[in-house]
Amino acid sequence: MPTPPAPQEALSAAAPAGSRPDTTIAGRPDAPAAGPKAVKVITRKKLTYARVLLSQRIAEPSGSPAGTYATKAGRAVAFARAQLGKPCVWGAAGPGSYDCAGLTQAAWKSAGVTLPRTAPEQAGVGIPVPPAEARAGDLVFFHDDADHVGLCTGDGMMIHAPRPGAYVREEPVSALGEATVHSAVRPG
């Protein structure tokens, strides 16, 4: 029984003489070469894009004015979601890596709102809200000195840069422990 040709040989055999074989996914020139890693990269990009679209759709009800809190919060959440998976580095404020306050500062900057650079300073701006009433876009602070901050995405979830060596991620606010929640603030 003859052995089947290697994948690259099969692609070369299918391509007309003198043309470059198509090694992209679905024939798209902007897609990386086919393979498990490429599929994973494309899937991750599609999921990130879908999260951004969904957060924009949730935050911007039809007919809402462009300057409302929900609109700005939606932009901040969409920005933060686009940063998922980036490395956490102490003192970093983007675009390639973030610390907790650098992420929230950059997210709200994308919505046109200026925040201070550190978590304790951010805890002092905006409208204080009870942590149990935090909604998408609100900043949630942790520990007695408010030295960690996350961006609430709604339904008890937040996006944050947890610690140096980790990656920006979305997880429940309770993941750090209910007792560690210090306060919440509504910027903008």
Side-chain angles (χ1 to χ4, degrees), residues 12-185:
S12 298
S19 69
R20 185 171 165 221
D22 182 17
T23 59
T24 60
I25 295 174
R28 292 181 38 211
D30 62 328
K37 283 187 176 182
V39 171
K40 189 174 183 179
V41 168
I42 289 174
T43 302
R44 190 174 290 152
K45 285 181 180 180
K46 286 180 179 180
L47 283 172
T48 299
Y49 182 71
R51 286 182 187 131
V52 169
L53 288 178
L54 181 61
S55 65
Q56 288 173 342
R57 202 173 287 157
I58 290 169
E60 295 182 23
S62 59
S64 67
T68 66
Y69 178 79
T71 302
K72 290 178 182 179
R75 288 183 185 137
V77 169
F79 178 91
R81 280 210 169 103
Q83 310 316 305
L84 291 173
K86 290 192 176 178
C88 302
V89 177
W90 187 84
S97 59
Y98 294 92
D99 68 5
C100 63
L103 177 64
T104 54
Q105 181 187 44
W108 273 99
K109 182 178 182 181
S110 75
V113 176
T114 303
L115 292 178
R117 177 60 189 91
T118 67
E121 291 173 331
Q122 290 177 8
V125 300
I127 301 167
V129 295
E133 295 177 22
R135 61 184 189 203
D138 291 350
L139 303 179
V140 181
F141 298 91
F142 298 86
H143 312 296
D144 290 337
D145 55 359
D147 68 348
H148 184 71
V149 61
L151 181 71
C152 184
T153 59
D155 297 323
M157 300 292 286
M158 69 172 173
I159 296 173
H160 70 131
R163 67 187 170 284
Y167 296 91
V168 174
R169 62 183 174 219
E170 185 169 10
E171 62 187 0
V173 171
S174 62
L176 297 179
E178 292 291 332
T180 64
V181 176
H182 176 270
S183 59
V185 168

